[in-house]
Amino acid sequence: MDPKIIEYKNDVLENRATLVITNLNEVRIYHQTGIKDAFNLKKRAEDLKGFIAVEKITGKASLALLYSMGVREIHSLTATNSAIEFSKTLPDLSLTSDAQISSIKKEGTSEDCPIDKAVKDLNTIKEINDTVKKVVAEIKAQEGTGTIVLK
């Protein structure tokens, strides 16, 4: 593994970053929880062709968002089983992970993350990205109510 990737993994661990995006010349470090940073990059239509992602946790949703922006190499400290299995259907994507988990938990709880739950059984980048957009909108609409309802 490229020594720079190991350095970026250490950034994720030591600086509490959740996502590092790099093309080995430019480095962007993000700190928001969940898929917020990947979602905001996608919303801004960032072109990340040729970039590498280093993530704290890679779920199927963040994998699909990053892939749709051109990222073809993701190094994760932890990836979900569904992200790992889905990555195998994308022959031009390389996903490496130091650990595997069955699902992402909603921050501070033992409940499954609503986004991870919503995309778990989807099979295309488009379906996943459309569902992420819908669930994020539902979460934003319900903020402050203490309840998130998935439809």
Side-chain angles (χ1 to χ4, degrees), residues 32-101:
Q32 292 190 73
T33 59
I35 67 162
K36 291 176 187 168
D37 291 314
F39 182 77
N40 288 332
L41 288 167
K42 175 68 175 159
K43 203 163 95 174
R44 291 193 311 262
E46 292 275 344
D47 180 5
L48 300 176
K49 187 174 184 179
F51 279 73
I52 296 166
V54 178
E55 281 196 296
K56 181 178 179 182
I57 300 174
T58 301
K60 199 173 185 179
S62 65
L63 182 148
L65 290 169
L66 292 167
Y67 185 87
S68 67
M69 290 182 282
V71 172
R72 295 299 183 264
E73 187 175 335
I74 301 172
H75 300 275
S76 183
L77 300 180
T78 305
T80 62
N81 295 334
S82 62
I84 292 167
E85 288 306 309
F86 184 61
S87 73
K88 294 174 184 175
T89 69
L90 304 167
D92 59 341
L93 176 72
S94 170
L95 171 64
T96 63
S97 177
D98 297 340
Q100 285 182 241
I101 55 175

